[in-house]
Amino acid sequence: MTEEKLNLSVSVETEKDGTYAFCPDQCTILHTREDGSVRDLGCGMFAFKASTGKKNSVHKISIMPYTTGDYEIIPHHMDETANKREIDAFMQKYVFKPYTLSGNTVGVEINFNKEFYVPEKMEKAEDILREIEELNVELKVLEL
């Protein structure tokens, strides 16, 4: 059995500002204005709501941004312009879809095992062999 990807094409026309369409190739929403210009809005989704009343039914379609939380470990600079330049360089290098930066969180990652490492004390081989021999003697007594 082969698995096929369902490729839905959704387009919503509005009275005010053009057409919104989902682009399945890039998984983004495109906004086409009445003058023909196209703007990629990035990740998003259409939300459909339908309600029926006694006399008429109301259908509401809204476009919602689809955001995901992500974190990256990027070197932090105390100078704000150098820090912004570092973040922008990182995003241009690794992110290829349209994106919006939300708040940046500055934090520190501390590996306690690395910082406070205490090596295990190894027993001497003679002590381990003596302990094994004592256990063997105890087992022989139990077998009798």
Side-chain angles (χ1 to χ4, degrees):
M1 182 175 181
T2 61
E3 185 176 317
E4 292 185 26
K5 188 176 180 182
L6 184 60
N7 201 0
L8 296 176
S9 178
V10 178
S11 178
V12 178
E13 289 188 28
T14 61
E15 297 174 4
K16 296 179 183 177
D17 56 352
T19 303
Y20 292 91
F22 178 74
C23 177
D25 296 333
Q26 297 177 342
C27 296
T28 59
I29 292 182
L30 301 175
H31 177 220
T32 306
R33 295 189 179 131
E34 292 178 358
D35 62 359
S37 62
V38 178
R39 182 173 160 220
D40 193 342
L41 299 177
C43 295
M45 60 185 170
F46 291 107
F48 299 96
K49 290 185 180 181
S51 61
T52 56
K54 292 182 180 178
K55 294 184 178 180
N56 56 4
S57 62
V58 176
H59 302 285
K60 182 179 180 183
I61 300 172
S62 57
I63 300 168
M64 302 171 56
Y66 179 74
T67 58
T68 58
D70 193 10
Y71 71 93
E72 302 297 336
I73 299 174
I74 303 172
H76 177 71
H77 299 283
M78 295 305 287
D79 180 31
E80 185 64 32
T81 56
N83 193 41
K84 182 169 177 16
R85 193 175 24 225
E86 184 80 26
I87 292 171
D88 290 341
F90 179 87
M91 296 300 282
Q92 287 178 359
K93 185 175 182 181
Y94 293 108
V95 180
F96 304 106
K97 291 183 180 181
Y99 61 89
T100 303
L101 288 177
S102 57
N104 288 333
T105 303
V106 178
V108 178
E109 180 179 331
I110 299 175
N111 184 346
F112 286 101
N113 290 331
K114 185 177 178 182
E115 298 297 325
F116 304 108
Y117 177 71
V118 179
E120 288 186 37
K121 294 182 181 177
M122 300 297 291
E123 293 184 45
K124 293 181 180 178
E126 296 84 24
D127 295 338
I128 295 172
L129 290 172
R130 187 177 58 237
E131 188 177 339
I132 291 172
E133 189 60 39
E134 290 172 2
L135 290 172
N136 279 335
V137 170
E138 286 181 27
L139 282 173
K140 286 181 183 177
V141 170
L142 289 174
E143 288 179 355
L144 295 177

